[in-house]
Amino acid sequence: MSFDQYHEPANELSAETRTFARMIVSLTEEAEAINWYEQRISVETDKAAKAIMQNAQQEEFKHFGMDLEFLLRKKPVWRKTLQAILFQKGDIVKLGSKGEEAAE
């Protein structure tokens, strides 16, 4: 496992910033795992194996959501932006513009 997650000297970063960086890496890893399971599920022919993979993927999705929620609690402006986009009906790009405006 690599610890190259910092772009600045780790000893110069606050504990809060190091935790934030770890959570960003965790979020990325969860997204990768979700993708890997999606690919495996799409080609698996054994129903039992597929069900296990789907269950595992759901677990990774839960972890992704938990990581994201942690980050949103640390960055309220991110929450404002995403509240205008997530779980909304309509054009996603237009909602993104609304989200940017909401955060300003």
Side-chain angles (χ1 to χ4, degrees), residues 38-99:
E38 189 68 21
Q39 292 179 42
R40 292 172 187 154
I41 290 164
S42 75
V43 297
E44 184 54 59
T45 57
D46 184 285
K47 287 182 180 180
K50 190 175 209 169
I52 293 166
M53 289 178 211
Q54 288 168 326
N55 180 273
Q57 184 188 46
Q58 189 62 32
E59 192 72 15
E60 302 297 350
F61 188 68
K62 178 185 77 175
H63 297 156
F64 179 89
M66 292 165 59
D67 289 347
L68 181 59
E69 179 60 25
F70 177 89
L71 294 166
L72 294 177
R73 290 180 184 190
K74 298 294 181 185
K75 299 287 186 181
V77 69
W78 290 9
R79 182 178 300 282
K80 266 191 174 286
T81 301
L82 292 184
Q83 283 175 330
I85 302 167
L86 298 176
F87 311 109
Q88 306 297 323
K89 294 188 187 294
D91 183 276
I92 296 170
V93 175
K94 289 179 183 174
L95 292 170
S97 295
K98 281 178 61 176

Side-chain angles (χ1 to χ4, degrees), residues 3-14 17-18 21:
F3 290 95
D4 300 348
Q5 62 194 7
Y6 305 119
H7 293 281
E8 300 296 331
N11 63 335
E12 293 181 23
L13 299 172
S14 68
T17 298
R18 289 191 310 273

